[in-house]
Amino acid sequence: MQYFKKSPWVFHYDGSSCNGCDIEVIASFSPVYDLERLGIVNVGNPKHADILLITGSVNQQNIDVIKSLYEQMPQPRAVVALGICAASGGIFSDCYNIEGGIDKVIPVDVYVSGCAVRPEAVIDGINKALVALESKRTES
Amino acid sequence: MNKVPKILLCLVFSPLVGALIYGLDRKFSARLQGRVGPPIWQPYLDVLKLLHKENLVVHKSQNVYILFYLIFMFFAATLLFAGKNLLLVIFALTVAQVFFILGAFKTSSPYSFIGAQREIIQMASSEPAILLNAVGMYMVVGSFYVYRIVSYDKLLALYLPGFLLSFIYILAIKFRKSPFDLSTSSHAHQEIVKGVTVDFSGKTLAMIELGHWLEIILMLGFIFLFFGSNTILALSVAIFIYFLIVLVDNTFARLKWQIILASSWLVTFVMGATNIVALHFLPR
């Protein structure tokens, strides 16, 4: 049975996002999109989470935070980079304090495009991450 | 000894039924919020998934505490289904809770500490009502044995309305529902409210979930005792009260712990004392 497909708990971290993507992540849990109908719950604790949703890019100050959050997640785990900033740094990539996308620090399984990402894209991204989670479970 | 297989069957099915009730609760809450909500068997899926997760451990002994929490939960359930002493059921429940709190204290994270302290406050607010409830039942039935209470020929709720009301008040604390959800409720709460479970993951978290399912069944079992003489009435009242509490959960915001502690003690002692005095003068 594909346990992780039925009950993925996500944990949302705001890197140095402009809050555009964050609002869309919250919107995908709202009555219109209702991620909980798929068993997806937003938890506030990396130790309970299966999927890490990161919005915004990596800067000097949050490198350690992102690493620590990732290391606190129990195996198997997946990372979804939401929005163009999380993928490459986006419009901020030339800033002096920006390191680039999330994959500079931790391995990313799914990249979701958009500025900001649409809730449909968030749902699709989580859905793709579920496939990655299942394959990680069967590998380990 | 043909009671043993019956009790074993009850022990296997009661957490499963508890999970189904919890699933219905999530669905009902979602519908109240205008959402579709998860399927009603979602709690099983959650626990099955947790069993396949890695178990991150801060101190090895934290898992032992949670194991004992679960064991004492099952012990309390066994005593209740076997019709043994009601006081012993309550004490086993309390010991289980204490193990849960000790497990949270063991992990040494500050969030875990705050969560454990909130859990203690929750326990302090709900325990007097549960204990007094047993005293009230003793005053009417003349025995603490569950099988005597269940087989009492008259409706206990008619003699103990005050106890029943104070117990319903306390039930929101026991089910971890707003306005009394000081620690670990089912909503998307963060570090402080979810503090007790902050350092538990994988199998240990699954055990905590299992314990909560049993807690639902045990508490509904207490409601059952109030209407023991009429099984159908007892079951329907238990389910009705559960959904009443879910409705209240979705209507109210969380209160401060001071108000929860003070109000629950006030309700318990005013209702309980009035009921005891009334019982003293009422002819039986």
Side-chain angles (χ1 to χ4, degrees):
Chain A
M1 195 182 147
Q2 295 184 314
Y3 303 100
F4 285 87
K5 272 197 170 170
K6 301 287 184 189
S7 154
W9 291 359
V10 303
F11 174 69
H12 170 219
Y13 176 70
D14 172 7
S16 47
S17 158
C18 66
N19 277 156
C21 294
D22 298 321
I23 288 167
E24 300 298 329
V25 171
I26 303 304
S28 56
F29 284 95
S30 67
V32 177
Y33 297 98
D34 188 27
L35 275 179
E36 204 192 348
R37 81 196 133 93
L38 308 171
I40 301 170
V41 180
N42 187 14
V43 293
N45 179 359
K47 287 196 177 177
H48 296 175
D50 306 303
I51 299 172
L52 179 59
L53 303 178
I54 300 191
T55 53
S57 48
V58 176
N59 61 28
Q60 299 286 352
Q61 288 186 345
N62 68 19
I63 288 180
D64 293 337
V65 179
I66 292 175
K67 272 185 189 161
S68 135
L69 285 177
Y70 183 69
E71 278 155 13
Q72 280 185 62
M73 285 171 66
Q75 296 279 7
R77 58 197 170 189
V79 179
V80 180
L82 291 174
I84 188 68
C85 295
S88 68
I91 194 170
F92 303 109
S93 56
D94 288 337
C95 288
Y96 66 96
N97 61 337
I98 296 292
E99 294 287 308
I102 305 300
D103 50 9
K104 289 265 161 62
V105 190
I106 53 174
V108 174
D109 296 283
V110 181
Y111 297 90
V112 179
S113 63
C115 177
V117 285
R118 296 193 61 80
E120 291 91 340
V122 175
I123 296 169
D124 188 41
I126 293 175
N127 205 15
K128 287 206 166 70
L130 296 181
V131 181
L133 261 183
E134 276 304 332
S135 64
K136 279 179 187 178
R137 182 179 75 87
T138 44
E139 273 168 29
S140 59
Chain B
M1 289 303 280
N2 59 352
K3 268 176 89 180
V4 175
K6 242 186 213 173
I7 293 165
L8 279 177
L9 212 67
C10 278
L11 280 184
V12 172
F13 277 101
S14 59
L16 298 181
V17 173
L20 213 58
I21 293 173
Y22 181 49
L24 276 170
D25 161 5
R26 276 175 74 171
K27 189 82 181 170
F28 185 53
S29 294
R31 296 306 302 159
L32 285 176
Q33 293 162 10
R35 296 187 286 119
V36 178
I40 55 169
W41 48 85
Q42 188 62 39
Y44 303 126
L45 300 173
D46 287 347
V47 162
L48 279 177
K49 178 209 66 178
L50 285 173
L51 290 176
H52 288 80
K53 280 291 265 188
E54 184 192 12
N55 193 0
L56 289 177
V57 176
V58 187
H59 287 290
K60 261 187 187 164
S61 54
Q62 78 185 56
N63 291 343
V64 180
Y65 284 118
I66 298 305
L67 181 67
F68 273 97
Y69 161 68
L70 195 60
I71 287 172
F72 273 98
M73 250 352 194
F74 271 109
F75 182 59
T78 316
L79 288 175
L80 190 70
F81 294 138
K84 296 293 180 198
N85 200 321
L86 190 60
L87 281 180
L88 214 55
V89 176
I90 294 168
F91 292 147
L93 255 176
T94 312
V95 172
Q97 288 291 311
V98 168
F99 271 113
F100 184 37
I101 290 165
L102 283 177
F105 269 126
K106 191 70 199 170
T107 58
S108 69
S109 135
Y111 290 126
S112 206
F113 266 58
I114 293 178
Q117 279 158 356
R118 291 171 77 94
E119 183 76 24
I120 291 175
I121 295 164
Q122 253 193 358
M123 246 181 94
S125 339
S126 62
E127 286 304 305
I130 298 173
L131 260 178
L132 262 183
N133 175 20
V135 172
M137 285 181 180
Y138 176 81
M139 284 182 73
V140 177
V141 182
S143 166
F144 277 122
Y145 279 89
V146 173
Y147 75 90
R148 291 274 304 274
I149 296 172
V150 172
S151 58
Y152 193 66
D153 54 345
K154 295 181 197 104
L155 219 54
L156 269 180
L158 294 178
Y159 292 95
L160 307 165
F163 287 104
L164 181 62
L165 285 176
S166 69
F167 191 73
I168 293 169
Y169 193 82
I170 251 59
L171 219 52
I173 299 176
K174 274 305 204 187
F175 287 150
R176 300 150 194 287
K177 298 287 184 203
S178 283
F180 301 144
D181 51 346
L182 281 179
S183 76
T184 62
S185 75
S186 53
H187 296 300
H189 289 314
Q190 308 286 317
E191 300 88 352
I192 303 278
V193 171
K194 278 274 187 193
V196 206
T197 56
V198 136
D199 266 323
F200 297 112
S201 57
K203 286 190 182 67
T204 323
L205 195 60
M207 274 151 77
I208 293 174
E209 285 286 310
L210 201 63
H212 285 175
W213 297 349
L214 265 177
E215 205 173 2
I216 291 175
I217 290 295
L218 277 171
M219 287 300 129
L220 292 181
F222 277 101
I223 293 283
F224 188 95
L225 290 185
F226 278 104
F227 301 90
S229 59
N230 189 340
T231 314
I232 297 166
L233 180 70
L235 281 176
S236 42
V237 167
I239 295 296
F240 172 74
I241 287 174
Y242 190 84
F243 284 99
L244 186 74
I245 286 170
V246 176
L247 192 67
V248 171
D249 177 39
N250 282 287
T251 323
F252 288 89
R254 193 182 315 121
L255 292 171
K256 286 181 184 166
W257 68 265
Q258 290 94 334
I259 300 173
I260 294 174
L261 189 62
S263 72
S264 62
W265 280 49
L266 196 74
V267 167
T268 303
F269 288 112
V270 169
M271 298 268 198
T274 319
N275 208 156
I276 286 175
V277 171
L279 272 180
H280 196 75
F281 289 110
L282 259 156
R284 255 171 288 158

